């Protein structure tokens, strides 16, 4: 019995490990043609369910916005995804203002199964955020870990769906102690010395070791069968998410250094920064002051992670930012220039999914341009598979695109500032 259980457990471990390898292979942080698109704030007034934006290979990462109050009623944070899930329409967990968004779990898993990352963005324009000490930041990191990432809690807003990391869009409060927050998430995730690439290698090595151990214990046939099954599936979801790499990103504004998150970017390792080149003098509409070069230098000389990826953040439509919108062709020129000049360049970030989608598929336009220019520059780089994902049809009744009831507070982002 004991022996059988151990066998079952190590088999499960192996399958999960292989599953993770598949997952990590789907999203590749080292590329320079990734597309990260914010979802959740319904900038167009016509926001569809998350899964409806996951049905093709256009978007690679969805930071979902926002967790906008760190310490709300009952000491729990507050989240708001406009017409899809909020505390008024979907209800909250008892004694808190934390919305019960378990209705979104299926969509999150659908997008993850298509090889995309879904992360939680913290902050936004109406954010009530900040820490008074490192220990407060660390205990908030534990809360976020338990509610949304690899930990556990009886009040997880997305139920058993496990997000792929966090994004810091901090624009209010004090800038102190965010490095302690980031480092605590990293230590909870077992990532203190590993980046996405080395973490994946480590997991593969672990899977190989487990395979070897099972073989020497006379379980070679069963192991092989399960391993083959796992390999046979194009994407295997790591159901317990025990071996997942959690990504940490930030969305600084282009004026360098960023007033709110700038210090943390130097003190703790981030995977990527989505620099907002809009609503500012250094935006895409101001070519003479556009400063991606400064951010590339920061990445290589000042950042805690010298391999951090820098994205060009852009509005998805003329209406989605006060200023800084440029058309797809102009943005594609910025991208081609960045791919040629800056090894830190990771791709494009758009605010937001609803506006980009309704703006003649601005998201698809920039993705195709970005992939083509990357390939021209580095022909040996394999193009990613361009297939339509068989995403489950969005069933959520909250995803009907109906407008939010007027008068309710909304966590609008500064992205939307006019
Ligand atoms: C994939 O290929 C099709 C057909 O060539 C094209 O229409 C589409 O825009 C491509 N890109 C993505 C990201 O799906
Ligand atoms: C959360 O909402 C789901 C329906 O989406 C419901 O089944 C579940 O009981 C709710 N959980 C709590 C703790 O209220
Ligand atoms: C794991 O095993 C596979 C096949 O046996 C091999 O190709 C791969 O290099 C190994 N990976 C590691 C990290 O040892
Ligand atoms: C594994 O091999 C043993 C002995 O050769 C056999 O009895 C068992 O049925 C096999 N199991 C599978 C799943 O093939
Ligand atoms: C692999 O998938 C194919 C098609 O779904 C199936 O026919 C085959 O039996 C699978 N092989 C294994 C080893 O599970
Ligand atoms: C990850 O870490 C390894 C080992 O420290 C290093 O060689 C590699 O360049 C890093 N890669 C990235 C993408 O950060």
């Amino acid at each position: 019995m004991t022996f059988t259980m151990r066998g079952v457990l190590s088999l499960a471990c192996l399958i999960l490990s292989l599953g993770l390898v598949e997952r990590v292979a789907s999203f590749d942080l080292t590329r320079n043609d990734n597309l990260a698109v914010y979802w959740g704030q319904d900038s167009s007034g016509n926001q569809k369910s998350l899964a409806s934006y996951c049905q093709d290979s256009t978007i690679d990462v969805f930071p979902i916005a926002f967790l906008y109050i760190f310490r709300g009623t009952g000491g729990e944070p507050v989240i708001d995804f406009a017409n899809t899930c909020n505390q008024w329409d979907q209800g909250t967990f008892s004694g808190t203002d934390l919305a019960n968004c378990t209705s979104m779990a299926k969509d999150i898993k659908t997008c993850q199964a298509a090889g995309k990352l879904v992360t939680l963005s913290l902050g936004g324009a109406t954010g009530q955020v900040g820490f008074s000490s490192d220990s407060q930041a660390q205990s908030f990191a534990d809360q976020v870990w338990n509610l949304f990432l690899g930990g556990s809690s009886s009040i997880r807003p997305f139920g058993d769906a496990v997000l792929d990391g966090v994004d810091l869009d901090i624009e209010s409060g004090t800038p102190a102690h965010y490095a302690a927050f980031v480092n605590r998430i990293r230590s909870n995730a077992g990532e203190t010395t590993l980046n996405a690439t080395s973490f994946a290698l480590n997991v593969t090595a672990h899977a190989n070791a487990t395979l070897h151990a099972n073989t020497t214990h006379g379980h070679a046939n069963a192991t092989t069968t399960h391993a083959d099954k796992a390999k046979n599936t194009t994407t295997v979801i790591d159901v317990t998410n025990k071996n997942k790499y959690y990504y940490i990103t930030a969305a600084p504004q282009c004026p360098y250094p960023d007033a709110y998150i700038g210090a943390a970017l130097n003190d703790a390792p981030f995977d990527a920064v989505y620099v907002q080149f809009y609503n500012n003098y250094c935006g895409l509409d101001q070519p003479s002051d556009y400063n991606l070069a400064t951010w590339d230098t920061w990445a290589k000389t000042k950042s805690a992670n010298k391999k951090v990826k820098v994205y060009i953040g852009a509005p998805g439509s003329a209406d989605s930012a006060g200023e800084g919108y440029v058309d797809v062709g102009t943005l594609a020129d910025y991208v081609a220039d960045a791919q040629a000049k800056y090894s830190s360049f990771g791709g494009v970030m758009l605010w937001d999914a609803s506006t980009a989608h309704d703006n003649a598929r601005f998201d698809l336009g920039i993705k195709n341009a970005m992939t083509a220019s990357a390939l021209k520059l580095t022909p040996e780089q394999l193009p990613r598979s361009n297939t339509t994902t068989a995403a489950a049809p969005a069933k959520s009744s909250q995803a009907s695109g109906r407008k939010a009831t007027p008068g309710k507070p909304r966590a609008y982002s500064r992205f939307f500032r006019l």
Side-chain angles (χ1 to χ4, degrees):
M1 184 60 190
T2 316
F3 181 75
T4 308
M5 271 309 289
R6 204 172 51 214
V8 167
L9 286 176
S10 51
L11 266 181
C13 189
L14 170 65
I15 290 161
L16 294 172
S17 301
L18 289 171
L20 176 84
V21 173
E22 299 280 355
R23 280 287 312 281
V24 168
S26 306
F27 172 75
D28 184 353
L29 181 72
T30 66
R31 295 185 71 108
N32 61 5
D33 57 2
N34 281 318
L35 183 61
V37 181
Y38 282 83
W39 174 92
Q41 284 300 299
D42 188 18
S43 286
S44 73
N46 186 33
Q47 176 173 273
K48 305 292 195 297
S49 71
L50 179 64
S52 73
Y53 300 102
C54 290
Q55 295 185 10
D56 63 25
S57 47
T58 308
I59 300 174
D60 303 292
V61 185
F62 290 91
I64 64 175
F66 287 106
L67 181 159
Y68 73 108
I69 298 176
F70 283 7
R71 289 170 295 280
T73 305
E76 299 297 339
V78 182
I79 55 179
D80 188 301
F81 307 105
N83 62 348
T84 305
C85 184
N86 62 69
Q87 62 175 300
W88 297 277
D89 295 331
Q90 277 68 36
T92 57
F93 295 105
S94 162
T96 77
D97 288 335
L98 182 62
N100 175 354
C101 299
T102 51
S103 56
M104 282 174 57
K106 188 164 174 278
D107 276 35
I108 291 167
K109 292 178 193 173
T110 296
C111 294
Q112 291 174 329
K116 301 166 191 306
L117 302 183
V118 182
T119 66
L120 181 66
S121 186
L122 277 51
T126 64
Q128 295 167 39
V129 302
F131 306 113
S132 57
S133 66
D134 277 3
S135 65
Q136 190 184 50
Q138 286 159 352
S139 69
F140 182 65
D142 291 343
Q143 249 179 312
V144 167
W145 175 256
N146 288 328
L147 292 172
F148 303 100
L149 305 177
S152 61
S153 166
S154 57
I155 55 167
R156 285 176 67 92
F158 304 123
D160 63 354
V162 177
L163 297 183
D164 298 291
V166 292
D167 172 62
L168 295 172
D169 174 27
I170 306 305
E171 60 185 281
S172 56
T174 57
H177 311 298
Y178 282 94
F181 170 84
V182 169
N183 287 330
R184 182 62 157 246
I185 296 278
R186 292 274 188 222
S187 75
N188 285 341
E191 294 172 3
T192 43
T193 60
L194 299 170
N195 58 43
T197 308
S198 54
F199 188 89
L201 286 174
N202 199 43
V203 169
T204 311
H206 175 72
N208 283 0
T210 312
L211 180 62
H212 180 70
N214 279 319
T215 306
T216 54
H217 281 94
H219 289 276
N221 57 355
T223 302
T224 306
T225 303
H226 285 75
D228 284 353
K229 271 196 185 133
K231 274 181 194 153
N232 198 21
T233 332
T234 46
T235 309
V236 178
I237 303 173
D238 176 1
V239 282
T240 68
N241 292 285
K242 287 281 189 287
N243 288 316
K244 193 187 184 78
Y245 183 83
Y246 295 88
Y247 290 82
I248 301 180
T249 61
Q253 299 192 59
C254 57
Y256 176 88
D258 184 87
Y260 294 102
I261 203 67
L265 292 176
N266 294 342
D267 293 342
F270 285 72
D271 294 293
V273 290
Y274 308 139
V275 184
Q276 298 175 66
F277 289 102
Y278 46 89
N279 290 341
N280 271 300
Y281 70 88
C282 41
L284 297 166
D285 57 335
Q286 313 276 340
S288 57
D289 289 314
Y290 169 74
N291 64 346
L292 182 61
T294 303
W295 285 95
D296 175 67
T297 302
W298 161 79
K300 291 163 180 163
T301 62
K302 294 265 180 21
S303 170
N305 171 17
K306 302 289 186 293
K307 294 279 170 63
V308 66
K309 288 294 178 183
V310 179
Y311 286 50
I312 298 176
S317 77
D319 294 340
S320 59
E323 51 188 80
Y325 174 70
V326 295
D327 62 25
V328 171
T330 306
L331 182 55
D333 289 345
Y334 277 112
V335 165
D337 179 67
Q339 288 171 330
K341 286 186 187 155
Y342 308 121
S343 58
S344 68
F345 181 68
V348 163
M349 170 276 273
L350 296 178
W351 177 270
D352 70 348
S354 66
T355 51
H357 194 272
D358 291 357
N359 182 22
R361 290 299 310 270
F362 190 94
D363 55 331
L364 179 59
I366 193 57
K367 174 54 159 229
N368 283 340
M370 195 158 45
T371 306
S373 54
L375 210 56
K376 210 188 270 177
L377 210 64
T378 320
E380 68 272 18
Q381 183 177 33
L382 283 176
R384 61 182 92 221
S385 66
N386 177 4
T387 50
T388 300
T389 309
K395 284 220 186 90
S396 159
S397 62
Q398 286 81 32
S400 59
R402 112 190 103 88
K403 289 287 278 181
T405 311
K408 288 173 182 172
R410 283 286 180 256
Y412 286 122
S413 158
R414 66 165 175 253
F415 294 95
F416 198 64
R417 186 183 60 208
L418 294 175

